[in-house]
Amino acid sequence: MKIDISCLRHLLKNASLPERPLGFSFQQTSVSFLLFDKKELHLLAILKADNKVYPWRNQVALPGGHVDEADKSNIDAARREMEEEVNISRNNVEFIGSLGHFQTLNNKDIEVFVGIWNGEGNIRFETAEISKVLEIPLNSLIKIQIESNFHGRLPDVMELVYPFEDVVIWGVTAKMVHFFIELLYPYLENKGE
């Protein structure tokens, strides 16, 4: 599947995106929803390391982390964390917009920034934090969404899962994937996918 970047930018700009919750005390975090072309469109994700003190251990996530005081904005935090976690330079990614805010059970508010990575640079990561980097074909995720009847509704956390190879995308990361695919759905229907 090929997606026109200007079309994706238009979809993000005109969508009703999940907003930051008001009146709650959430820690601000930012992640990068990195898409790249490898004969077909892929999503870059990470598998968090099996570290007993880490609340996200053994879970599929997107590169990102906490917004620090030194960060000028949430997108600046996403860029910094992307460089720190997977060694992808911000110069090799065109960020095209926010996918909105998603909350976790442990009081994190995650703003998701969609970016197109040009594939340049060598991915490197600290094995104490990340077990491996995943290159997930977007078509595989779309197929799961359709075959599992996720379209048009938000399944509960136990149902909303996207198996990929030897891992399962679930929780807040699955909600991000679900929202992105739902956003693309009219585009996919027009393309006959």
Side-chain angles (χ1 to χ4, degrees), residues 27-28 65-73 77 80-81 84:
Q27 184 173 28
Q28 296 301 301
H66 299 110
V67 177
D68 294 341
E69 287 183 23
D71 295 320
K72 296 176 184 148
S73 63
R80 175 185 52 76
E81 286 283 349
E84 290 175 4

Side-chain angles (χ1 to χ4, degrees), residues 56-173:
W56 306 103
R57 69 189 262 204
N58 298 318
Q59 293 186 32
V60 176
L62 301 176
H66 299 110
V67 177
D68 294 341
E69 287 183 23
D71 295 320
K72 296 176 184 148
S73 63
N74 284 12
I75 194 167
D76 191 47
R79 289 177 177 131
R80 175 185 52 76
E81 286 283 349
M82 176 188 66
E83 289 178 336
E84 290 175 4
E85 286 195 342
V86 291
N87 194 49
I88 294 176
S89 169
R90 63 184 68 207
N91 298 328
N92 291 328
V93 176
E94 178 185 355
F95 282 96
I96 56 176
S98 174
L99 193 58
H101 294 260
F102 298 81
Q103 294 74 45
T104 68
L105 294 176
N106 59 354
N107 296 323
K108 310 273 187 219
D109 175 61
I110 306 170
E111 187 167 9
V112 182
F113 294 95
V114 178
I116 306 297
W117 175 40
N118 64 13
E120 294 182 17
N122 294 319
I123 293 177
R124 288 194 311 270
F125 54 91
E126 294 292 326
T127 56
E129 187 175 348
I130 297 170
S131 294
K132 65 180 171 180
V133 171
L134 306 166
E135 298 179 352
I136 306 170
L138 193 57
N139 277 334
S140 296
L141 298 172
I142 292 168
K143 183 177 179 186
I144 292 167
Q145 182 118 340
I146 293 168
E147 290 177 353
S148 299
N149 294 315
F150 294 162
H151 174 58
R153 66 186 183 93
L154 181 59
D156 70 35
V157 70
M158 299 307 291
E159 183 186 3
L160 185 61
V161 295
Y162 296 88
F164 175 71
E165 294 179 351
D166 60 341
V167 298
V168 175
I169 301 168
W170 68 283
V172 73
T173 304

